Coordinates of all heavy atoms in Angstrom, one line a residue:
L1242 N 20.9 3.4 15.7 CA 20.1 2.2 15.9 C 20.8 0.9 15.6 O 20.6 -0.1 16.3 CB 18.8 2.2 15.1 CG 17.8 3.3 15.5 CD1 16.6 3.3 14.5 CD2 17.2 3.1 16.9
S1243 N 21.7 0.9 14.7 CA 22.5 -0.2 14.3 C 23.4 -0.7 15.4 O 23.8 -1.9 15.5 CB 23.3 0.0 13.1 OG 22.5 0.3 12.0
R1244 N 23.7 0.2 16.4 CA 24.6 -0.2 17.5 C 23.8 -1.1 18.5 O 24.4 -1.7 19.3 CB 25.0 1.1 18.3 CG 26.1 1.9 17.6 CD 26.6 2.9 18.5 NE 26.1 4.3 18.1 CZ 26.2 5.3 18.8 NH1 26.5 5.2 20.1 NH2 25.8 6.5 18.4
L1245 N 22.5 -1.2 18.3 CA 21.7 -2.0 19.2 C 21.5 -3.5 18.7 O 20.8 -4.3 19.3 CB 20.3 -1.4 19.4 CG 20.3 0.0 20.0 CD1 18.9 0.6 20.0 CD2 20.9 0.0 21.4
V1246 N 22.1 -3.8 17.5 CA 21.9 -5.1 16.9 C 22.3 -6.2 17.8 O 21.7 -7.3 17.8 CB 22.6 -5.1 15.5 CG1 22.6 -6.5 14.9 CG2 21.9 -4.1 14.5
S1247 N 23.3 -6.0 18.5 CA 23.9 -7.1 19.4 C 23.3 -7.1 20.8 O 23.7 -7.9 21.6 CB 25.4 -7.0 19.4 OG 25.8 -5.8 20.0
E1248 N 22.4 -6.1 21.1 CA 21.8 -6.0 22.4 C 20.8 -7.1 22.7 O 19.8 -7.2 21.9 CB 21.2 -4.7 22.6 CG 22.2 -3.5 22.7 CD 22.9 -3.5 24.0 OE1 22.4 -4.1 25.0 OE2 24.0 -3.0 24.1
P1249 N 21.0 -8.0 23.7 CA 20.1 -9.1 23.9 C 18.7 -8.7 24.3 O 17.7 -9.4 24.1 CB 20.8 -10.0 24.9 CG 21.7 -9.0 25.6 CD 22.1 -8.0 24.6
S1250 N 18.6 -7.5 25.0 CA 17.3 -7.0 25.5 C 16.5 -6.3 24.4 O 15.3 -5.9 24.7 CB 17.5 -6.0 26.6 OG 18.3 -4.9 26.2
V1251 N 17.0 -6.2 23.2 CA 16.3 -5.5 22.1 C 15.5 -6.5 21.2 O 16.0 -7.6 20.9 CB 17.3 -4.7 21.3 CG1 16.7 -4.1 20.0 CG2 17.9 -3.6 22.1
D1252 N 14.3 -6.1 20.9 CA 13.5 -6.9 19.9 C 14.1 -6.7 18.6 O 13.9 -5.7 17.9 CB 12.1 -6.4 20.0 CG 11.1 -7.2 19.1 OD1 11.6 -7.8 18.1 OD2 9.9 -7.3 19.3
Q1253 N 14.9 -7.7 18.1 CA 15.7 -7.5 16.9 C 14.8 -7.4 15.7 O 15.1 -6.7 14.7 CB 16.7 -8.7 16.8 CG 17.8 -8.7 17.8 CD 18.6 -7.4 17.8 OE1 18.9 -6.9 16.7 NE2 19.0 -6.9 18.9
D1254 N 13.7 -8.2 15.6 CA 12.8 -8.1 14.5 C 12.2 -6.7 14.4 O 12.1 -6.1 13.3 CB 11.7 -9.1 14.6 CG 12.2 -10.5 14.5 OD1 13.2 -10.7 13.8 OD2 11.5 -11.5 14.9
R1255 N 11.8 -6.1 15.5 CA 11.3 -4.8 15.5 C 12.3 -3.8 15.0 O 12.1 -2.9 14.2 CB 10.8 -4.5 16.9 CG 10.0 -3.1 17.0 CD 9.7 -2.9 18.5 NE 8.8 -3.9 19.0 CZ 7.4 -3.8 19.0 NH1 6.9 -2.7 18.6 NH2 6.7 -4.8 19.5
L1256 N 13.5 -3.9 15.6 CA 14.6 -3.0 15.2 C 14.9 -3.1 13.7 O 15.1 -2.1 13.1 CB 15.8 -3.3 16.1 CG 17.1 -2.5 15.8 CD1 16.9 -1.0 16.1 CD2 18.3 -3.1 16.6
T1257 N 15.0 -4.3 13.2 CA 15.3 -4.5 11.8 C 14.3 -3.9 10.9 O 14.6 -3.2 9.9 CB 15.4 -6.0 11.5 OG1 16.4 -6.6 12.3 CG2 15.7 -6.2 10.0
R1258 N 13.0 -4.0 11.3 CA 11.9 -3.4 10.4 C 12.0 -1.9 10.4 O 11.8 -1.2 9.4 CB 10.6 -3.8 11.0 CG 10.2 -5.3 10.7 CD 8.7 -5.5 10.9 NE 8.3 -5.3 12.2 CZ 8.3 -6.3 13.2 NH1 8.8 -7.5 12.9 NH2 7.8 -6.0 14.4
V1259 N 12.4 -1.3 11.6 CA 12.5 0.2 11.6 C 13.7 0.7 10.8 O 13.6 1.6 10.0 CB 12.7 0.7 13.1 CG1 13.0 2.2 13.1 CG2 11.4 0.4 13.9
I1260 N 14.8 0.0 10.9 CA 16.0 0.4 10.1 C 15.7 0.2 8.6 O 16.1 1.1 7.8 CB 17.2 -0.4 10.5 CG1 17.6 -0.1 12.0 CG2 18.4 -0.2 9.6 CD1 18.8 -0.9 12.5
E1261 N 15.0 -0.9 8.3 CA 14.7 -1.1 6.8 C 13.8 0.0 6.3 O 13.9 0.5 5.2 CB 14.1 -2.5 6.7 CG 13.7 -2.8 5.2 CD 14.9 -2.8 4.3 OE1 16.0 -3.0 4.7 OE2 14.6 -2.5 3.1
Q1262 N 12.8 0.4 7.2 CA 11.9 1.5 6.8 C 12.7 2.8 6.5 O 12.4 3.5 5.6 CB 10.8 1.7 7.8 CG 9.8 2.8 7.4 CD 8.8 3.0 8.5 OE1 8.9 2.5 9.6 NE2 7.7 3.7 8.2
Q1263 N 13.7 3.1 7.4 CA 14.5 4.3 7.2 C 15.3 4.2 5.9 O 15.4 5.2 5.2 CB 15.4 4.4 8.4 CG 14.7 4.8 9.7 CD 15.7 4.7 10.9 OE1 16.4 3.8 11.0 NE2 15.6 5.8 11.7
R1264 N 15.8 3.0 5.6 CA 16.6 2.9 4.4 C 15.7 3.0 3.1 O 16.1 3.6 2.1 CB 17.3 1.5 4.3 CG 18.5 1.5 5.3 CD 19.1 0.1 5.3 NE 20.3 0.1 6.2 CZ 20.8 -0.9 6.9 NH1 20.1 -2.1 6.8 NH2 21.9 -0.8 7.6
Q1265 N 14.5 2.5 3.2 CA 13.6 2.7 2.1 C 13.2 4.2 1.9 O 13.1 4.6 0.7 CB 12.3 1.9 2.3 CG 12.5 0.4 2.2 CD 11.3 -0.4 2.6 OE1 10.2 0.1 3.0 NE2 11.4 -1.8 2.5
L1266 N 13.1 4.9 3.0 CA 12.8 6.3 2.9 C 13.9 7.1 2.2 O 13.7 8.0 1.5 CB 12.4 6.9 4.2 CG 11.0 6.5 4.8 CD1 10.9 6.9 6.2 CD2 9.9 7.1 4.0
I1267 N 15.2 6.7 2.6 CA 16.3 7.4 1.9 C 16.3 7.1 0.4 O 16.5 8.1 -0.4 CB 17.6 6.8 2.6 CG1 17.8 7.3 4.0 CG2 18.8 7.3 1.7 CD1 19.0 6.7 4.7
E1268 N 16.0 5.9 0.0 CA 15.9 5.6 -1.4 C 14.8 6.4 -2.1 O 14.9 6.8 -3.2 CB 15.7 4.1 -1.6 CG 16.9 3.2 -1.3 CD 18.1 3.6 -2.1 OE1 17.9 3.8 -3.4 OE2 19.2 3.8 -1.6
Q1269 N 13.7 6.5 -1.3 CA 12.5 7.2 -1.9 C 12.9 8.7 -2.1 O 12.5 9.3 -3.1 CB 11.4 7.1 -0.9 CG 10.1 7.8 -1.3 CD 8.9 7.5 -0.3 OE1 8.6 6.3 -0.1 NE2 8.4 8.5 0.3
I1270 N 13.6 9.3 -1.2 CA 14.0 10.7 -1.3 C 15.0 10.8 -2.5 O 14.9 11.8 -3.2 CB 14.6 11.2 0.0 CG1 13.6 11.2 1.1 CG2 15.2 12.6 -0.2 CD1 14.1 11.4 2.5
H1271 N 15.8 9.8 -2.7 CA 16.8 9.9 -3.8 C 16.1 9.9 -5.1 O 16.6 10.5 -6.1 CB 17.7 8.6 -3.7 CG 19.0 8.8 -3.0 ND1 19.9 9.8 -3.3 CD2 19.5 8.2 -1.9 CE1 20.9 9.8 -2.5 NE2 20.7 8.8 -1.6
T1272 N 14.9 9.3 -5.2 CA 14.2 9.2 -6.5 C 13.5 10.5 -6.8 O 13.0 10.6 -8.0 CB 13.2 8.1 -6.5 OG1 12.2 8.3 -5.4 CG2 13.9 6.7 -6.2
I1273 N 13.4 11.4 -5.9 CA 12.8 12.7 -6.2 C 13.8 13.5 -7.0 O 14.8 14.0 -6.5 CB 12.4 13.5 -4.9 CG1 11.4 12.6 -4.1 CG2 11.7 14.8 -5.3 CD1 11.1 13.3 -2.7
N1274 N 13.5 13.7 -8.3 CA 14.4 14.4 -9.2 C 14.3 15.9 -9.0 O 13.2 16.5 -9.0 CB 14.1 14.0 -10.7 CG 14.4 12.5 -10.9 OD1 15.3 12.0 -10.4 ND2 13.5 11.9 -11.7
G1275 N 15.5 16.6 -9.0 CA 15.5 18.0 -9.0 C 15.0 18.6 -7.7 O 14.9 17.9 -6.7
Q1276 N 14.7 19.9 -7.7 CA 14.2 20.5 -6.5 C 12.7 20.1 -6.2 O 12.0 19.7 -7.1 CB 14.3 22.1 -6.7 CG 15.7 22.6 -6.8 CD 15.8 24.1 -7.0 OE1 14.8 24.7 -7.4 NE2 16.9 24.6 -6.7
L1277 N 12.3 20.3 -5.0 CA 11.0 19.9 -4.6 C 9.9 20.7 -5.3 O 8.8 20.2 -5.6 CB 10.8 20.0 -3.1 CG 11.7 19.1 -2.3 CD1 11.6 19.4 -0.8 CD2 11.3 17.6 -2.5
D1278 N 10.2 21.9 -5.7 CA 9.2 22.8 -6.3 C 9.4 22.8 -7.8 O 8.9 23.7 -8.5 CB 9.3 24.2 -5.7 CG 10.6 24.9 -6.1 OD1 11.5 24.2 -6.4 OD2 10.7 26.1 -5.9
Q1279 N 10.1 21.9 -8.4 CA 10.4 21.9 -9.8 C 9.2 21.9 -10.7 O 9.1 22.7 -11.7 CB 11.3 20.8 -10.2 CG 11.8 20.8 -11.6 CD 12.9 19.8 -11.9 OE1 13.3 19.0 -11.0 NE2 13.4 19.7 -13.1
Q1280 N 8.2 21.1 -10.3 CA 7.0 21.0 -11.1 C 6.1 22.3 -11.0 O 5.5 22.8 -11.9 CB 6.1 19.8 -10.6 CG 4.8 19.7 -11.4 CD 4.0 18.5 -10.8 OE1 4.4 17.8 -10.0 NE2 2.8 18.4 -11.3
I1281 N 6.1 22.9 -9.8 CA 5.2 24.0 -9.5 C 5.8 25.3 -10.1 O 5.1 26.1 -10.6 CB 5.0 24.2 -8.0 CG1 4.3 22.9 -7.4 CG2 4.1 25.4 -7.7 CD1 4.2 22.9 -5.9
K1282 N 7.1 25.5 -10.0 CA 7.7 26.8 -10.3 C 7.6 27.1 -11.8 O 7.7 28.2 -12.2 CB 9.1 26.9 -9.9 CG 10.1 26.0 -10.6 CD 11.5 26.2 -9.9 CE 12.6 25.4 -10.6 NZ 13.9 25.6 -10.0
T1283 N 7.3 26.0 -12.6 CA 7.1 26.3 -14.1 C 5.6 26.4 -14.4 O 5.3 26.6 -15.6 CB 7.7 25.1 -14.9 OG1 7.1 23.9 -14.5 CG2 9.2 25.0 -14.6

């Protein structure tokens, strides 16, 4: 998606919001400590 930043036909505000949402989700996944079933398996 970042390759489209310079495309004049692209809604840059819309594109920026989507990319920012993806980056926030990566950070959110990073904050999940340990394995996904860590709480349940004990």
Side-chain angles (χ1 to χ4, degrees):
L1242 292 175
S1243 296
R1244 286 189 251 163
L1245 301 174
V1246 170
S1247 59
E1248 290 289 337
S1250 61
V1251 171
D1252 184 333
Q1253 294 299 322
D1254 290 338
R1255 187 184 296 266
L1256 177 63
T1257 300
R1258 289 196 297 271
V1259 172
I1260 292 176
E1261 180 59 28
Q1262 184 181 8
Q1263 290 173 314
R1264 287 177 174 149
Q1265 289 175 1
L1266 287 169
I1267 290 174
E1268 289 300 317
Q1269 182 175 300
I1270 296 169
H1271 266 302
T1272 62
I1273 301 175
N1274 296 321
Q1276 296 179 338
L1277 294 172
D1278 66 344
Q1279 187 170 358
Q1280 178 185 354
I1281 301 176
K1282 69 181 181 180
T1283 58

